[in-house]
Amino acid sequence: MKRIHQIALIIFLFSTSNVIDAKTYKWRLAQSWESDSPLAYSVKQFISLTNQLSAGQLKITVESQEQHKKPFGIFDLVKSGKYEMGHSESSYWRKKDRNTLFFSSVPFGMIAPELYSWFYHGDGIRLMEKVYSKYGLLSFPGGNTGNQMMGWFRREVQCLANLKGLKMRMTGIAGEVMRNVGVNVVDVPSNELYKSLDDGDIDAVGYFGPAIDFDLGFYKVAPYYYTGWNAPSSEMQFLINQDAFEELPKSLQQVIKNAMRLAAYDMYTKITHENGVKLNKIKEDFPNIKFRALPNSVTRRLIRETRRLMNDIAEQGDDLTREIMSSMETHKNNSRKWTRIGEQAYLNNSSDVL
Amino acid sequence: MKRIHQIALIIFLFSTSNVIDAKTYKWRLAQSWESDSPLAYSVKQFISLTNQLSAGQLKITVESQEQHKKPFGIFDLVKSGKYEMGHSESSYWRKKDRNTLFFSSVPFGMIAPELYSWFYHGDGIRLMEKVYSKYGLLSFPGGNTGNQMMGWFRREVQCLANLKGLKMRMTGIAGEVMRNVGVNVVDVPSNELYKSLDDGDIDAVGYFGPAIDFDLGFYKVAPYYYTGWNAPSSEMQFLINQDAFEELPKSLQQVIKNAMRLAAYDMYTKITHENGVKLNKIKEDFPNIKFRALPNSVTRRLIRETRRLMNDIAEQGDDLTREIMSSMETHKNNSRKWTRIGEQAYLNNSSDVL
């Protein structure tokens, strides 16, 4: 009997090392979005994946805009350690650090597969780390919305003059470009957009694409839906408090990193899907919606203004600003050559029949 | 002392359940490719991910074509249980079961984001399961090559007559379409392709895209590189022996499922990247290579022949054949509407300057 007890004790001592390894970590994640926002999809996937892959060792609770009331405060909430993680959009922090601007979307920039090629096989991840590490933060791709539409217009845009004085909601760099060609760019909270458009307080709304726009009902009051240039892809962001991350065992760090990467891809697939579903709903239920591309002359002008603005941003920035911009530009040019003879050539060559 | 022993025993009994859970599983995976093939990328990622996420509980050894010598025998190797897993291409099994044909590539079919939307949010995964379950196999997306080029031609194709009697290597459904318009479709092993083309034994080679074609050197002897229609996306395949899978604890099943999904996405990103890199190399080092799209009239004819062939396949097939084909066609039409006003509109509207 004594021998059995000794064996039990030895196994007990061994098993305690497992017990220490199996310590449970409780994290909190603050997301910029409301809990039912389509942008929260990658967070839902991420939570499901960490649950599956950490064997319950990592429990992450999500708090949405409704709880923390700080959709534009995620950077500080994670930096301070109040939350170990956040989900938001890098461009929100441009006033804290202009170099955060480039990691969400750039007008006339890369489409999603080109952008992921830059992040994971070009300089993207390394440069993003360079920007965020000085704040004790880790930043990772957080899911892509794919191509965004320019938005919903009450009236047709036939020339540049039609844009002058037009009151339009448009955010980010694209909003500044629009302002520079004479648009009266205004900021209206999301939940007031429909009413403003219906009342004629604003003339146009740039938002996302069919997947997200549909539920807001813009098609009822603004029948011209313009194709995009403002955000050919838009990447969300996972933010992590670096100290909290370093306290985790390596196995859980790997769970988190892989779960983020998979959740980000999953969101791109999901939104691609929903864009198709909702676009078909719009086409069937609202046959009067007119899909338009801007006239060529207007697009040319927007490209010129975007270049001018980007040159200003580069000049006013620091060495890192210029390193990021030059890396993105080179990567876009190189990967675009393939997109042009690959997907684009196929789509164009079969476009009148398929 | 007795009490301590009792506690130790209780802990011992608890800990044994952990010990049983932590059993190590050794699996073998047979891949159709040689170990250094770019198509093996998703397998490399998959192995790295299962190592990271299973805490060493799942050890998978990879055997390549060089070892098992059966690139077209993976289905049987996994079905028989000789290997627990495989990595190959679903269309290789079309002679065993015609319904396996559709899960790799279809001429004039979906591009990669549309296809993933079908797999993960449409009927794709469910229909693939329906096809493979009767063989005791599980099949999952195994990584996409993105859009494939039609291939390398020694002479320009200016009209349909130029294709008549042309000796060309082209596989799959696209090969049959080519045969139906008068091409002399031949099968040449990959390692003899360059020499055959150089010797003039064949006139053209359809292979993949720049990422994979480059190393084979076709550009040296066939200066016309034609854009694709034959495989707008091409999905590889993970095969799993269902009995082996069911013997695994649920936690390892989840590791495998998530690792496969992530590895598949990772391969699409990697090949997108390599296509850009290698295309730029070709353009810089071999400025005489001419990039061409088929004349419109030829493309129209190929579309007609593809439809005719697909109709034959549907008629000769069973209910499941028709269910798969109808699901794919509907999904393509719906998701393509979004691709057209999304990525394609953006690419076209900025194409002469960006």
Side-chain angles (χ1 to χ4, degrees):
Chain A
M1 201 51 190
K2 212 181 160 197
R3 195 168 175 76
I4 289 173
H5 286 175
Q6 278 172 343
I7 292 167
L9 261 173
I10 289 164
I11 290 171
F12 165 64
L13 291 171
F14 265 99
S15 68
T16 53
S17 65
N18 284 326
V19 171
I20 288 164
D21 272 349
K23 180 182 160 190
T24 300
Y25 294 83
K26 290 187 181 174
W27 272 27
R28 294 197 308 156
L29 181 155
Q31 63 181 1
S32 282
W33 339 108
E34 299 196 352
S35 50
D36 61 353
S37 163
L39 297 175
Y41 183 79
S42 46
V43 174
K44 286 199 188 88
Q45 283 296 95
F46 172 74
I47 298 297
S48 158
L49 289 166
T50 49
N51 283 339
Q52 285 175 46
L53 297 171
S54 77
Q57 225 193 317
L58 181 63
K59 290 190 199 306
I60 305 181
T61 317
V62 177
E63 292 192 16
S64 305
Q65 200 195 120
E66 302 96 304
Q67 282 115 16
H68 57 66
K69 316 271 184 205
K70 289 181 179 162
F72 301 104
I74 307 295
F75 183 102
D76 288 330
L77 291 175
V78 178
K79 185 168 172 279
S80 69
K82 192 164 181 213
Y83 292 79
E84 287 82 4
M85 259 189 104
H87 191 255
S88 190
E89 207 184 303
S90 187
S91 65
Y92 288 177
W93 329 126
R94 61 199 292 191
K95 284 178 186 162
K96 289 179 191 297
D97 185 332
R98 61 161 65 81
N99 293 336
T100 58
L101 176 61
F102 310 101
F103 302 100
S104 36
S105 70
V106 173
F108 296 107
M110 292 184 260
I111 63 171
E114 297 167 349
L115 185 71
Y116 280 123
S117 148
W118 181 66
F119 270 128
Y120 295 126
H121 300 283
D123 292 325
I125 291 287
R126 182 181 66 76
L127 290 169
M128 188 154 64
E129 195 179 315
K130 232 169 158 176
V131 170
Y132 280 92
S133 62
K134 57 166 120 20
Y135 305 104
L137 289 169
L138 302 170
S139 172
F140 299 91
N144 205 292
T145 65
N147 182 78
Q148 296 189 1
M149 297 290 280
M150 182 187 183
W152 302 87
F153 288 70
R154 288 164 55 95
R155 278 174 296 277
E156 197 165 1
V157 179
Q158 290 174 316
C159 58
L160 197 68
N162 293 160
L163 288 178
K164 304 253 184 215
L166 196 90
K167 272 180 93 172
M168 178 170 192
R169 188 263 189 189
M170 177 70 95
T171 57
I173 311 179
E176 290 181 41
V177 171
M178 295 293 275
R179 190 172 285 125
N180 291 350
V181 300
V183 174
N184 181 3
V185 176
V186 292
D187 198 12
V188 179
S190 300
N191 56 1
E192 293 169 26
L193 278 173
Y194 177 81
K195 189 171 181 307
S196 298
L197 201 56
D198 190 25
D199 292 349
D201 288 344
I202 57 175
D203 307 298
V205 165
Y207 206 59
F208 283 92
I212 301 181
D213 296 0
F214 182 77
D215 291 340
L216 283 90
F218 303 133
Y219 50 85
K220 293 181 209 157
V221 288
Y224 294 94
Y225 200 14
Y226 275 83
T227 63
W229 53 273
N230 40 304
S233 67
S234 186
E235 189 67 32
M236 304 297 113
Q237 169 188 46
F238 282 114
L239 275 172
I240 300 183
N241 180 293
Q242 194 165 357
D243 290 340
F245 191 73
E246 281 164 9
E247 281 169 25
L248 296 179
K250 196 169 172 232
S251 61
L252 288 186
Q253 291 179 350
Q254 284 173 329
V255 165
I256 287 177
K257 280 189 165 187
N258 290 316
M260 287 188 300
R261 196 162 83 253
L262 181 48
Y265 282 133
D266 276 343
M267 175 167 160
Y268 175 52
T269 297
K270 172 71 172 174
I271 293 207
T272 299
H273 182 73
E274 287 297 316
N275 273 325
V277 170
K278 294 291 167 66
L279 175 59
N280 279 282
K281 236 177 133 45
I282 294 172
K283 287 198 167 203
E284 276 159 32
D285 298 352
F286 307 94
N288 293 329
I289 296 300
K290 290 162 191 76
F291 297 88
R292 292 280 186 277
L294 286 176
N296 230 283
S297 59
V298 177
T299 303
R300 294 294 150 269
R301 178 65 195 281
L302 292 170
I303 290 174
R304 278 209 308 281
E305 284 302 329
T306 300
R307 285 203 173 130
R308 194 172 302 170
L309 190 65
M310 297 302 275
N311 283 340
D312 290 350
I313 292 172
E315 270 176 33
Q316 290 154 15
D318 54 22
D319 285 349
L320 185 51
T321 316
R322 289 180 285 275
E323 188 185 354
I324 298 166
M325 292 180 76
S326 143
S327 166
M328 292 190 98
E329 191 64 16
T330 305
H331 196 93
K332 180 179 76 180
N333 292 339
N334 287 342
S335 58
R336 184 62 48 85
K337 282 186 199 132
W338 164 243
T339 305
R340 294 241 179 269
I341 67 161
E343 268 85 349
Q344 191 186 5
Y346 164 61
L347 291 167
N348 284 349
N349 295 338
S350 59
S351 67
D352 52 338
V353 279
L354 291 178
Chain B
M1 199 52 190
K2 212 181 162 198
R3 192 166 176 79
I4 289 174
H5 285 174
Q6 278 172 343
I7 293 168
L9 260 173
I10 289 164
I11 291 169
F12 164 65
L13 291 171
F14 266 99
S15 68
T16 52
S17 66
N18 284 325
V19 171
I20 288 165
D21 273 346
K23 179 182 160 190
T24 300
Y25 294 83
K26 289 188 180 173
W27 272 26
R28 295 196 308 156
L29 182 155
Q31 62 181 1
S32 282
W33 339 109
E34 299 196 351
S35 50
D36 62 352
S37 163
L39 297 175
Y41 184 78
S42 45
V43 174
K44 287 200 188 87
Q45 283 296 96
F46 172 74
I47 297 297
S48 158
L49 289 166
T50 49
N51 282 339
Q52 284 175 45
L53 297 172
S54 77
Q57 225 193 316
L58 180 64
K59 293 192 198 304
I60 305 180
T61 316
V62 177
E63 292 191 19
S64 306
Q65 198 194 121
E66 302 96 305
Q67 280 115 17
H68 57 66
K69 316 270 185 206
K70 291 182 178 161
F72 301 105
I74 307 296
F75 184 102
D76 288 330
L77 290 176
V78 178
K79 185 167 171 280
S80 70
K82 191 162 181 215
Y83 293 78
E84 287 81 5
M85 259 189 105
H87 191 254
S88 190
E89 206 183 305
S90 186
S91 64
Y92 288 176
W93 329 125
R94 60 198 294 189
K95 282 178 187 161
K96 290 179 189 297
D97 184 333
R98 62 160 67 80
N99 293 336
T100 59
L101 175 63
F102 310 101
F103 302 100
S104 37
S105 69
V106 173
F108 296 107
M110 291 185 261
I111 63 171
E114 297 167 347
L115 185 71
Y116 280 123
S117 149
W118 181 66
F119 270 127
Y120 296 127
H121 301 284
D123 292 326
I125 291 285
R126 182 181 65 78
L127 290 170
M128 188 155 64
E129 196 180 312
K130 232 169 157 174
V131 170
Y132 280 92
S133 61
K134 57 167 119 24
Y135 305 104
L137 289 168
L138 302 170
S139 171
F140 298 91
N144 205 291
T145 65
N147 182 79
Q148 294 189 3
M149 297 290 280
M150 183 188 182
W152 303 86
F153 288 71
R154 288 164 57 97
R155 278 174 297 275
E156 196 166 3
V157 179
Q158 290 175 314
C159 57
L160 198 67
N162 292 162
L163 288 178
K164 304 251 184 219
L166 196 90
K167 272 180 93 172
M168 178 169 193
R169 187 262 190 193
M170 177 70 93
T171 56
I173 311 180
E176 290 180 40
V177 171
M178 295 293 276
R179 189 171 287 125
N180 290 350
V181 300
V183 174
N184 182 2
V185 176
V186 292
D187 199 12
V188 179
S190 300
N191 56 1
E192 294 170 24
L193 278 172
Y194 177 82
K195 189 171 183 304
S196 299
L197 202 56
D198 189 25
D199 292 348
D201 288 343
I202 57 174
D203 307 297
V205 165
Y207 206 59
F208 284 92
I212 301 180
D213 296 359
F214 182 77
D215 291 340
L216 284 90
F218 303 132
Y219 50 84
K220 293 183 209 154
V221 287
Y224 294 94
Y225 200 15
Y226 275 83
T227 63
W229 54 273
N230 41 305
S233 67
S234 187
E235 189 67 33
M236 303 296 112
Q237 170 188 46
F238 283 114
L239 274 173
I240 300 183
N241 180 294
Q242 194 165 357
D243 290 340
F245 191 72
E246 281 164 9
E247 280 169 26
L248 295 179
K250 197 171 172 234
S251 61
L252 288 186
Q253 292 179 349
Q254 284 173 330
V255 164
I256 288 178
K257 280 188 165 187
N258 290 315
M260 288 188 299
R261 195 160 84 253
L262 181 48
Y265 282 134
D266 276 343
M267 175 168 160
Y268 175 52
T269 297
K270 172 71 173 175
I271 292 206
T272 298
H273 182 72
E274 287 298 316
N275 273 326
V277 170
K278 294 290 167 65
L279 175 59
N280 279 282
K281 236 178 132 47
I282 293 172
K283 286 198 167 203
E284 276 159 32
D285 298 351
F286 307 93
N288 294 331
I289 296 300
K290 290 161 191 76
F291 297 88
R292 292 280 188 275
L294 286 177
N296 231 281
S297 59
V298 177
T299 302
R300 295 294 149 270
R301 178 67 195 280
L302 292 170
I303 290 174
R304 276 208 309 281
E305 285 302 330
T306 300
R307 285 203 173 129
R308 194 172 301 170
L309 190 65
M310 297 302 275
N311 283 340
D312 289 350
I313 292 172
E315 270 175 35
Q316 290 153 16
D318 53 22
D319 286 349
L320 185 52
T321 315
R322 288 179 285 274
E323 188 185 354
I324 297 166
M325 292 180 76
S326 144
S327 167
M328 292 190 98
E329 190 65 17
T330 305
H331 195 93
K332 180 180 76 181
N333 292 340
N334 288 342
S335 59
R336 182 64 48 84
K337 283 185 198 133
W338 164 242
T339 304
R340 294 242 179 269
I341 69 161
E343 267 84 350
Q344 190 186 5
Y346 164 62
L347 291 167
N348 284 348
N349 295 338
S350 60
S351 67
D352 52 337
V353 279
L354 289 177

